[in-house]
Every structure is written in C-alpha cells, then in structure tokens.
Amino acid sequence: MRRGGGMQFMGKPFDETRRSFLTLSGVAIGATGFVGSVTSETGTTTNRAWASFQHDAGNTGTTPDGTDPGPDAWIEWSEQVSDRPLHSPTVADGIVYVSDVSGEITAFDTDTRETRWTARIRGLDYAPSVVGDTVYAAGTDLVALSAADGSERWRFDVGIAESSPVTAADGTLFFKTSDVNGQGSCWAVDAATGTERWHVRLPTGKDGETPSAEHVPPAVVGGVAYFADKDAVYALRAEDGTPRWQASVDGIIDHAPTVANDTVYVCGERAFALSADDGRAKWKTDLGDSARLSQSPAVTDDAVVVTDGSRARIWALAADDGAIRWTVEGTGGSAGTPVIADETTYVPIADDEDGLVALDLQSGDQRWWVPIRNLSNSSLPPAIDDAIYVTGREGFLYAVADPTWLDWRANQIGSLAVDENVYVSNGRGHFSALDAETGSKRWRGEADETPVTANGMVYGTDWSAVVAYTPDGTERWRFDCDGKITTEPVVTDDSVVVAGDGWVTALDPTTGTHRWTNDGDCAGLGTVEALSAEGKTAFAVVDGRVVALDFDERQWSAGSGVQTIAVGDAVYTGTDQNEVVAYGFDGTELWNATLDDGNQVTSLVADDGLYAVTTAVTSTGTDSREWLVSLDEGTVDWTFHPKFLPFGSLCEPVVEDETVYVGASDRRVYALSAADGTEQRRFETGGVVESVAVDGDRVYATADETYAFR
C-alpha cells in the first residue's frame, strides 16, 4: 500500500502563549496531595495493559490499574530475549512485546517465560503498539502483525528513513517520520486496512531551515493529534489532518507531547503547559539552566513529573500552575522517562549503578530502589502491568515485583556460613550472625577468614587465635597459636585444623584442647596455601604440592602446581595446568583429568560429587571467564557457564539435594541439576555474587547484600 500526496502544514507559530542515593528538596505537598488518575483517551486493549510507548494515546505515562510492589520490590525474574540491546517494552494480555536494535520484535509470554514468536521490521527503533489482537510497528514500513503468531496482516510502504512509535486512537494509527533529507511528516493510516487517511509535511527539513527533530510519537486525544517537532507543537484534526494551531516554546522538544485534561505538556528549556484548544501557554516553569528536559512528562490530574536527561534529577509540578512541589536529586548520571501508578512514580536511573527508583508521588520520598544490570537506554519508560517491566543492554527483559521466593535481604556483605544462624564474614576481622528466618542481626564475632559451622558450633580465626562460639554468641573456647593463621578453619568430627606460615595445628573441636602441631621438623614445612582434612589427617598445599600430615610426621607429598584441594572419597587437587588429580589416602595417584575449558583450576568442592571451577584469563589480563565442571572418576560429566556472560567469575559451588548452587558475577545464583548441569532456576541479586550457602529450604547468597531465597 502506498501513501498519497498529503498536505503542507500552514500557519503562523504561536510564540508565547541506592538504596538512598537520592536526596529530596523543594516545597512539600499540600494537604490535598496528588491524585494518581488522569482523564485521557487510552486506546488500549484491556484495562491492565501498557500497550503503547507511554501507556495510552495521550502519552500520559500513567495507569490507574498498576499496583506498587511495596518495599520488598525486587527482580522477580529476568530472561534474555535477544543478544542485542532492547528498546522499551509494551505489554498486553500477559504478553510483553519488545524490539531490539536490529529491528526484531519478540512476543514474550510472562506466564510460561517463553518466546511466542519473533518478527523483524526493517528500521524499527521503538516499542510496538498493541490494539486488540494486532501489533503495530513502524520502521521503514508500517506493519500490522497478528498478536497470536506474529504473521503479517498488512504492510504500508512509508519509504521513509525513520519512524516514530505508533499511537492508536479511534481505529487510526498516527506516527511521525523523517526522510533522508530530514523532512518531517505526520501520518494517519487506517488500522484495519493499512490505507492512508492523510499525511502532512512539517515546515522543517528540506522545506524549512532546520531538519526534523528526533522522531517521537504523537498524542491523540479528543479528535486532535498533537505532534512535536523542533521547538513547536502542531495540533491537527485527527479525522483529516487539517491544522488547528501550532505553538512554539523556547528550546527543542525532543520527546513525545503528553496530553491530559485539556492541556498539552512539553519541555523545552523549561516545562510548559499549553491549552489543548488553542496552544496558548497556561504556565511555564524554569527548572534550571543546566537541566536537559529531554524526556516526556508523566501526568495525573494533579501532578506533572519531569526528569533531567543529563543529571539524576526529578521534579513534581502542580498540574494547574506548574509550581514545584518537590525535587529529588542524585549524585550523577541521568534520569529517564517517568511513569506513574498507585501514587508512585517510577524513574529509570543511569549512574555508576543503573536501576529503577520508586518515589512517593505526594512527597518525593524514596519507596524503593532496584538495581538493573546494564539498564538499556535510560531515557525509555518502563511498562507496568502485573509487574514493572524494564529492559537492558544485554538483551534482558526484567520483571520487578514482590517475589514470593525472596524471604529477606540484609545489609551485610562478605562470605557465608550457615547453620542455626547465617554467618557473614566481612573480611576485616569480624562476622555477623543473622537470624536465619528474618535476616536481623543477632550478634557479632571475631573472624579473619570465613567462619565454619559444625558440631553445633561456630569456628572462627582471630589473627593467631581459633575461637569457638555457641549459636547464641557465647564464646566456648579460644586457643592461641604460635603465629598468624592464614587459612579458614577445617573441621572434622575429630579435629579443628588451622595453618599458618610453616605449621599446621589440630585442636579438639569441643574443648579447644591442643591435639598436635606439625612444623615439618628439621626440613621446615613452608607456607601453607590451602588446607583440608579427613579424620585425623590434614592435607596442606605447600609450594604447589599436597602434603599429608598427622601428629607424628609428614606421611606423603605429591603433585606440582597445586592451587586448591578438597577431600571426599579421595584427596582431590586442582592445578595451575588446568588439571584435576585424585590421590588415595596413601598418596597413590588414582587418576588425572585435564579440563578443556580454562587454563587453571581455582576451586574444588567434593560433596556428593566432585566439582571444579576453572579459569581462563584474557591476554590483556583485564577479564576472565570461569566454568563449573562436574567430574566422575576423572571423566567430565558436564560443564556450566552462563550463556550470556562473555566474561566474569563464579563463586565456589555448594551441593544440596542433588542440586548444585553457584553464584556468578552477572548477579545471579544458578540452581543446576547435579546429574546433567541443566538449569533448574535462578535467583537475582544486586551485585557480583561472592558466596552461596544452603540450609533446608533456603538458599543464601552474598553480593551487594545478603539474600535469603526460598
């Protein structure tokens, strides 16, 4: 289908008429407050839908149906729907529609977490729009797709270099384009047939002094279509494109106009409210010379929320007179397009740590903050339905809600041990005991290394002393060694074993009574780099070799380049040559396996199987990649690496009930089948996962905080 000749727009411009990283300033809300509703024609497909760029045909960015997830808001799930950066999503009837930078649209089912279909639209740069059972997307062509299977229903040949998102109202699709010469045009196309109703050339591009502005969607309300271009707003009759008025503001409008309650809201160098009837200025508010007001406002009956695209600043203005009610300012970065639901405004923030912030609409107080890994273009709005959907540069779609599987989060970081309590070591000489049910802090103990739980006790090291605590924090015993302890305590039924520079000491686990110390006799033991134990025998890594010790003597030594050690049915060592070598308890080599991935083994776990983490460092030495490998009698059963993590690290795994849990630097904890390594589920954190522990029906992880997952 082809476009017609169109009409030329005529008329004279109307010239005048983190986590608490945010701080609050400005004028407080009056007693009446803000009301989270708006009068606008929506054109959406269901009551609970975010079916276009900013929810409705007025681009209000406000939904009356969304419910704030509350203070426990977190990433309920994330799925990689593309290997390219994503644009902002739309959602209708449980399906999220999102396009990537290559123009591929994905229809993603939020219940099954599976892709229903994909389609590619040449030149598509924005979110598609959904009306009923049809998805509309504008690129170099305007295309109508079946929402059920993505099949093409019709195609309108725009023949234009770039197009805006589509705004649907009263059976018509409205959008704005720019050709290779920068000539801007406004379009109206029949939604059912794909035939042109009208188009209007704007007085820019080759017909004007300056090229057309960034292509932003129009707003369509009350039979009028409002287009923004450069410093002007154009009001056209939606039925035939006849000009009604045009008005200019100071500064460039490079975002979609927002129309509600007979008012058009735009931002140039200031925030403006224009009469929808004739374009006269109702009010204008100066928000500072350095403000980059490049995002569409979000509007309710009483509030206008405006953001700064060059700094993380957010303003709430009174809708009737533009008075500043409150201001929130961050430490840097930029604030994206705001949206509003349930008396809350949500703003994507791009900073040192990207994330989504929720602010109370009446006061500006921060309700919650959720970090989002590599947030996509922060200027784009999220979409609100049964969750808040945002997208990332790594092709991930995120759903923010109140996850039932997240029991609690605590402001503690470090390495983990768990028993009756959750013990988190900060690596600076102390650990915290947290209530396993609530995450509240119970007491604090001393530990230079990660504490160890066993025999109903907690064992830590304090410089040169081994300290044993009961679960209520009572110190049961303390033993002072002859020098600084350099390893975590290793606990068996018979002994607590620690080591330092040139010695290994074993203690009674109940009383702390000294059992034995081995310092290598005349030859000297050397620096102990890693330690494990079985029964009354300790296995130390010294100068790249494994040494078996007891109270009498050095029993045997073997290997070369040993970096890590674990004891199970045998003594297992991992080397800097990417080998795993198994020794019998008499020192006999049982088998040797060279791993295909990585170039050195950095950790081993022997617990209902043998698991190795192997590392490869890039030639520049700036990045590394790690794999989790399951071995059985020297044979590799399976290998795991997060498919969407080109580089990054894995923490030491733990095993429970035939499931292997491992955390990654992509902020996720993975639960893998011990049998074949398939992913069973994953949990989201807000930072690089440093440690994982499992007890009963909970998985604990430390990253930017400590998490308890159900």
Side-chain angles (χ1 to χ4, degrees), residues 600-638:
Q600 57 183 322
V601 178
T602 53
S603 69
L604 283 173
V605 171
D607 185 358
D608 292 331
L610 179 63
Y611 304 92
V613 174
T614 178
T615 303
V617 179
T618 60
S619 58
T620 61
T622 56
D623 289 307
S624 64
R625 189 178 186 188
E626 297 190 344
W627 293 261
L628 175 63
V629 182
S630 172
L631 297 111
D632 181 19
E633 296 294 329
T635 301
V636 173
D637 278 348
W638 52 262

Side-chain angles (χ1 to χ4, degrees), residues 268-505:
E269 293 179 359
R270 292 175 282 182
F272 287 83
L274 309 177
S275 167
D277 292 332
D278 56 16
R280 67 179 176 83
K282 293 184 175 182
W283 54 256
K284 53 188 175 184
T285 300
D286 191 343
L287 299 174
D289 293 338
S290 62
R292 183 173 181 266
L293 306 178
S294 55
Q295 270 63 272
S296 297
V299 178
T300 70
D301 282 341
D302 291 344
V304 180
V305 179
V306 179
T307 59
D308 188 341
S310 62
R311 293 172 58 187
R313 290 192 291 182
I314 306 163
W315 296 269
L317 312 178
D320 56 355
D321 61 8
I324 298 175
R325 297 293 182 88
W326 52 256
T327 302
V328 166
E329 185 163 355
T331 56
S334 63
T337 304
V339 298
I340 298 172
D342 197 14
E343 289 295 302
T344 306
T345 185
Y346 308 95
V347 184
I349 300 292
D351 204 341
D352 292 337
E353 183 178 22
D354 296 351
L356 184 68
V357 67
L359 305 174
D360 184 280
L361 186 59
Q362 294 194 35
S363 66
D365 292 337
Q366 182 172 312
R367 289 187 168 178
W368 49 260
W369 160 272
V370 173
I372 304 294
R373 177 182 165 89
N374 281 332
L375 190 67
S376 192
N377 187 338
S378 66
S379 67
L380 300 177
I384 302 176
D385 193 54
D386 56 344
I388 304 171
Y389 298 99
V390 293
T391 54
R393 285 189 293 267
E394 296 171 320
F396 272 86
L397 173 65
Y398 295 86
V400 176
D402 181 1
T404 58
W405 47 261
L406 179 57
D407 277 351
W408 52 260
R409 292 183 286 147
N411 188 24
Q412 303 285 334
I413 60 174
S415 54
L416 279 176
V418 62
D419 195 4
E420 183 174 321
N421 300 313
V422 179
Y423 303 97
V424 185
S425 172
N426 62 14
R428 297 188 297 272
H430 297 94
F431 69 89
S432 296
L434 309 180
D435 187 291
E437 296 296 322
T438 65
S440 60
K441 188 174 179 179
R442 297 187 64 188
W443 52 273
R444 191 173 78 160
E446 298 171 331
D448 296 316
E449 303 289 340
T450 306
V452 175
T453 60
N455 309 317
M457 302 277 285
V458 185
Y459 302 93
T461 59
D462 178 18
W463 187 252
S464 63
V466 182
V467 188
Y469 300 92
T470 59
D472 64 2
T474 302
E475 185 177 309
R476 177 67 64 84
W477 55 259
R478 174 184 290 262
F479 181 87
D480 290 310
C481 300
D482 293 334
K484 176 175 170 52
I485 300 169
T486 59
T487 67
E488 297 177 5
V490 177
V491 184
T492 70
D493 292 338
D494 299 308
S495 304
V496 177
V497 187
V498 293
D501 187 5
W503 55 268
V504 176
T505 291

Side-chain angles (χ1 to χ4, degrees), residues 22 46 131 184 207 218 309 348 351 442 521 555 574 650 681:
L22 298 170
T46 63
V131 179
D207 293 334
D351 204 341
R442 297 187 64 188
D521 299 321
Q555 293 184 350
L650 301 175
R681 63 179 304 184

